[in-house]
Amino acid sequence: MFSAELRNKAEGLVGRYPEGRSALLPLLHLVQAQDGYISHDGITECARLLALTKAEVMAVATFYSMYKRAPMGRHLVSVCINFSCKVRGAQEVYDELSARLGVGHNQTTADGAITLEHAECLGNCEGAPVVTVDYFNYECLTPEEAVRLVGQLRDSARAAASGSAPVAVPPPTRGYPSPGIRDVEYRLAGLGPRHASEPGVIPDQTTADDAAVPTPAAGPGAASETVGTETPGGGGGAEERGPEGLEPESGAGKHDYGGASEQRDEPTQPPNPADAGDSDDRPVER
Amino acid sequence: MVGPVAVVSKRYGLADSHTLSGYLASGGFAGLRASLDMAPADVLEAVKASGLRGRGGAGFPTGVKWGFVPQDLGRPVYLVINADEGEPGTFKDRELMERDPFLVLEGMIIAARALSCHRSFIFLRGEYLWPGVRLEEAIAEAYAEGWLGKDIQGSGFDFDVTLHYAAGAYICGEETALLDALEGRRGQPRLRPPFPAVAGLYASPTVVNNVETIATVPCILEQGPDWFRSMGTEKSPGPKLFCVSGEVQRPGNYEWPLGTPARTIIEQSCGGMLPGRNLKFWAPGGSSTPLLTADHVDIAMDFDAIAEAGSLLGTGAMMMFSDRTSVVDAVLNWTKFYEHESCGKCTPCREGTFWLSQILQRIVNGEGHTEDLQTLDDICDNIFGRSFCALADGAVSPIKASLKYFREEYEHLIDHGVPHAGIEAHAGVVTRNSGSDRPRAGARA
């Protein structure tokens, strides 16, 4: 399901953590970077990479509100409606956007440009009412300004889809104009900027070289054959790694707004219970 | 009377505060350098002596928490920074990470050495994209210049930091739910004991610290515990970032010593309430802290004074609301938030928040009954202290406090179907303020 490049990145993510399952939330962001939502294929891919069942992956994917069940448009527009924003006009902003766009919460415009949602406290109450575009913050927007912003986003999306001259997205209060939700999801997967033109860096992918990595079945004080001395330090190190072959994809910006078409995956073997893998037996019992 | 301070926020006015060169030029890493000349055990003692209490909401003494970590289990010790700032009204950690990411890293390195920890994670809420970019850049610069990785600045100490974006769940601000999320699971809290200090991430000893807490560590090592204790009160020493929001002239983050009266912060830093509005109700530390009234506005903003008044300092997120705002509207808004964010694990919270929301919505819609108030109270009593974690306690706090102080507003809605005159149903007025990118001088008016 992942392109060869993204599969390589995905495997790097799994290796970044002492226990590979920690990569699941980043991997689900990576699925959204490619498909614009948590696709069935993406769930299958994550399950394979982490030796989990699809049910286990879906359980995690359905818990977190940033993972979407239907393809997002080019931009995700979030309006905070918690109370500090509400007393400064957030409901009016949301209602106006919903009316003008003709969509409600977690719905996408027909042209595939905008997905609208209302959100819980986004941690920017001093800039109330706050709207984010792909998690870039636009502070203190009136309903009219919000409508104007969204109009510019749609113009930009239309230009990108038709291959005509790019239309600039207005800059947020902090950050840079969003390249689109999928490219932002790439960063949220822990892979840094999707394009060389974006600020930020591809983080050093330290490898999980810790000593005494416990298996999930081992509890505190339990005998474990992996007990060892603590190494002087974690793996990875101070040497900077290069971009590891990341090339901006040609035609970046041309996205399939319809989302990846779902394909039935071929039947897989059920996970072999004899494999250690990861399991839900955790030493800290609920 | 003490004025505002610039300890954790001292670099906020500098344009290059987020760069390594800017950090070093403004005295950065002085705390780390001082701590490298000390034995790790002495670093821990210094933090204990300072009396620093956690800034993430619980206010647990940080040095004591560090002291719980056993060093003899044969497992690696992990440090996890809780950057999942999701408590409504709270935005102090966001600005701190955006403006001074190296201060966070410096605190982490000092802590790690005291804990014999070599591997750490910053668990950052996924919506905090720009703080993430700033942290990415800071971490990369730190590795490049030998402030992270192997043999930090020739000290022989190795330390790695991994930035980890989360995916949208308020409950992951609870430290054990955070650990489950970091392990790649649904973010549900864990039974304690065992506590994370003994069995946390990957069943290994783990310290989870809030962003502001860890960022407060360097100044303790740089200037000493006695200097730290010269600010604040005896049981709540040190400086604190107060994030003020709601119907004030100038919402924002303002750093004052703990124990500063709320009125001082509101009037001096925020310019008071919006024109024509009088303070009616406020939360001292986020929506999970019981509401207070205008009668409480002279209260000292510290852990103990606020606890004595029946509330909690929490995150120090002061949410201020006026006589033009319906208390019941606020309570409904927050109850729906808790219902939405409930992880579903335990019945009182999962079912209770649903029922509370439903009843409050009926009341706001003008379809309330007198019995509803008793029902709300009973449901709250079946939740508070009887749920698996503190999310549920936070959910009932606004309801219980509002019934105590503003029962009349509920009764008016039930009797008349509408709020009383002067209240705007959504208090929806959009006003300009200067936003959070305004330049900050050392002392802020």
Side-chain angles (χ1 to χ4, degrees):
Chain A
M1 196 260 338
F2 281 139
S3 66
E5 177 217 352
L6 291 190
R7 181 169 296 118
N8 179 43
K9 294 282 169 196
E11 285 162 4
L13 285 173
V14 178
R16 184 184 281 185
Y17 296 89
E19 290 191 10
R21 185 172 175 160
S22 289
L24 181 52
L25 269 67
L27 284 175
L28 289 168
H29 281 302
L30 190 59
V31 169
Q32 298 209 132
Q34 178 166 301
D35 291 348
Y37 74 118
I38 302 297
S39 59
H40 186 207
D41 280 356
I43 289 170
T44 308
E45 186 91 26
C46 291
R48 283 195 192 125
L49 277 162
L50 295 173
L52 295 170
T53 65
K54 285 187 288 179
E56 287 169 322
V57 174
M58 286 179 78
V60 174
T62 53
F63 187 82
Y64 298 97
S65 63
M66 290 172 76
Y67 298 139
K68 305 302 185 185
R69 319 280 286 275
M72 289 184 276
R74 180 179 175 84
H75 293 293
L76 174 67
V77 174
S78 314
V79 183
C80 174
I81 46 91
N82 207 284
F83 207 66
S84 287
C85 274
K86 221 166 185 200
V87 293
R88 295 182 89 107
Q91 192 66 52
E92 287 80 351
V93 171
Y94 179 81
D95 291 344
E96 188 69 18
L97 285 177
S98 179
R100 298 288 205 102
L101 292 172
V103 293
H105 175 62
N106 268 335
Q107 293 180 343
T108 301
T109 55
D111 64 357
I114 307 288
T115 299
L116 177 69
E117 65 168 358
H118 52 69
E120 298 296 356
C121 181
L122 293 170
N124 194 181
C125 322
E126 79 272 50
V130 167
V131 172
T132 65
V133 175
D134 308 329
Y135 309 110
F136 288 100
N137 294 35
Y138 291 80
E139 292 183 354
C140 303
L141 291 188
T142 65
E144 295 70 35
E145 288 165 343
V147 168
R148 193 155 51 242
L149 167 64
V150 166
Q152 288 166 302
L153 293 173
R154 294 179 94 169
D155 290 344
S156 167
R158 200 170 303 124
S162 67
S164 44
V167 170
V169 168
T173 306
R174 289 177 302 281
Y176 57 95
S178 173
I181 186 63
R182 296 187 191 206
D183 290 348
V184 168
E185 287 286 339
Y186 183 89
R187 185 191 293 276
L188 294 174
L191 298 173
R194 190 70 172 98
H195 306 287
S197 57
E198 297 177 60
V201 289
I202 297 161
D204 182 356
Q205 300 211 18
T206 55
T207 54
D209 222 352
D210 301 0
V213 174
T215 62
S224 161
E225 61 270 310
T226 58
V227 167
T229 54
E230 295 175 56
T231 59
E239 52 286 70
E240 268 232 285
R241 297 202 192 155
E244 292 179 296
L246 169 64
E247 307 295 335
E249 282 183 28
S250 59
K254 285 200 163 71
H255 292 299
D256 172 18
Y257 299 134
S261 57
E262 291 205 34
Q263 294 153 352
R264 301 190 70 84
D265 56 331
E266 56 276 307
T268 54
Q269 303 283 4
N272 185 344
D275 292 342
D278 196 358
S279 79
D280 284 328
D281 294 333
R282 292 182 297 111
V284 279
E285 260 314 314
R286 286 172 237 192
Chain B
M1 166 78 78
V2 198
V5 293
V7 176
V8 166
S9 65
K10 77 177 204 185
R11 290 185 187 80
Y12 280 17
L14 304 174
D16 60 352
S17 57
H18 60 285
T19 65
L20 181 57
S21 57
Y23 192 68
L24 289 167
S26 55
F29 286 124
L32 173 59
R33 283 189 235 263
S35 73
L36 289 174
D37 289 337
M38 300 161 67
D42 294 336
V43 174
L44 197 153
E45 282 311 308
V47 173
K48 269 192 184 164
S50 74
L52 170 66
R53 294 171 70 163
R55 304 302 200 226
F60 192 85
T62 304
V64 174
K65 183 190 267 194
W66 291 6
F68 288 154
V69 171
Q71 293 294 337
D72 52 356
L73 286 187
R75 295 173 178 279
V77 175
Y78 294 109
L79 173 66
V80 177
I81 301 305
N82 186 343
D84 196 63
E85 185 169 66
E87 180 68 27
T90 313
F91 49 95
K92 60 189 177 70
D93 298 337
R94 190 211 82 236
E95 186 172 31
L96 178 47
M97 289 184 281
E98 286 173 346
R99 290 192 188 265
D100 207 349
F102 283 99
L103 185 61
V104 178
L105 295 179
E106 183 179 352
M108 291 173 70
I109 304 165
I110 294 170
R113 194 166 156 273
L115 296 166
S116 299
C117 158
H118 304 285
R119 188 71 198 273
S120 68
F121 302 88
I122 299 175
F123 186 92
L124 179 67
R125 72 176 286 189
E127 301 93 334
Y128 272 9
L129 177 61
W130 190 239
V133 175
R134 284 276 161 94
L135 282 167
E136 284 177 26
E137 293 179 317
I139 291 169
E141 271 203 281
Y143 271 103
E145 298 299 319
W147 294 97
L148 285 174
K150 294 211 183 308
D151 191 24
I152 290 174
Q153 300 294 302
S155 65
F157 180 64
D158 301 343
F159 183 53
D160 283 313
V161 175
T162 299
L163 176 64
H164 182 96
Y165 290 95
Y170 164 72
I171 183 60
C172 291
E174 198 279 335
E175 68 173 358
T176 63
L178 184 158
L179 293 174
D180 259 27
L182 184 51
E183 291 184 2
R185 307 172 194 280
R186 292 166 70 90
Q188 294 189 317
R190 299 172 176 178
L191 190 62
R192 289 165 286 175
F195 288 86
V198 173
L201 185 65
Y202 315 131
S204 299
T206 305
V207 166
V208 182
N209 276 144
N210 171 262
V211 170
E212 187 188 354
T213 307
I214 208 73
T216 310
V217 166
C219 73
I220 295 170
L221 277 302
E222 181 184 352
Q223 312 215 50
D226 291 340
W227 168 86
F228 186 80
R229 297 195 74 96
S230 72
M231 287 172 282
T233 70
E234 197 208 317
K235 290 199 199 157
S236 301
K240 178 78 183 74
L241 290 169
F242 293 99
C243 21
V244 190
S245 69
E247 297 172 74
V248 293
Q249 303 256 27
R250 290 190 298 272
N253 285 312
Y254 301 103
E255 191 175 13
W256 288 80
L258 279 166
T260 301
R263 182 196 292 277
T264 304
I265 300 171
I266 300 305
E267 288 179 355
Q268 286 192 32
S269 292
C270 304
M273 301 295 286
L274 287 167
R277 304 191 189 205
N278 304 305
L279 176 65
K280 184 170 83 174
F281 65 106
W282 61 291
S287 59
S288 300
T289 58
L291 294 172
L292 298 172
T293 70
D295 292 341
H296 297 105
V297 77
D298 291 300
I299 198 169
M301 293 297 293
D302 67 63
F303 291 102
D304 305 282
I306 303 225
E308 273 171 44
S311 186
L312 298 162
L313 181 64
T315 58
M318 301 163 72
M319 310 170 80
M320 317 300 295
F321 303 107
S322 79
D323 50 4
R324 283 166 54 176
T325 300
S326 162
V327 177
V328 187
D329 266 359
V331 173
L332 170 63
N333 180 276
W334 290 325
T335 306
K336 289 208 269 199
F337 163 78
Y338 292 109
E339 180 198 358
H340 177 211
E341 297 292 343
S342 171
C343 78
K345 177 168 183 159
C346 77
T347 303
C349 178
R350 184 187 66 247
E351 303 300 315
T353 53
F354 167 76
W355 287 112
L356 292 169
S357 286
Q358 227 194 34
I359 295 169
L360 286 163
Q361 184 70 68
R362 263 200 302 103
I363 293 175
V364 164
N365 291 349
E367 296 154 16
H369 314 295
T370 311
E371 311 80 78
D372 287 338
L373 300 189
Q374 185 61 53
T375 309
L376 284 174
D377 207 57
D378 290 343
I379 297 173
C380 287
D381 289 343
N382 272 327
I383 295 172
F384 190 87
R386 293 168 178 187
S387 301
F388 200 78
C389 82
L391 183 152
D393 294 350
V396 310
S397 292
I399 300 174
K400 292 283 281 190
S402 60
L403 285 170
K404 175 177 169 188
Y405 292 120
F406 299 102
R407 192 180 187 91
E408 173 276 327
E409 278 202 38
Y410 284 93
E411 288 167 345
H412 192 280
L413 267 170
I414 288 171
D415 294 341
H416 301 280
V418 291
H420 45 69
I423 287 198
E424 302 165 19
H426 289 289
V429 172
V430 179
T431 58
R432 280 276 155 200
N433 59 44
S434 45
S436 62
D437 245 329
R438 59 187 178 280
R440 291 170 198 279
R444 267 154 298 144

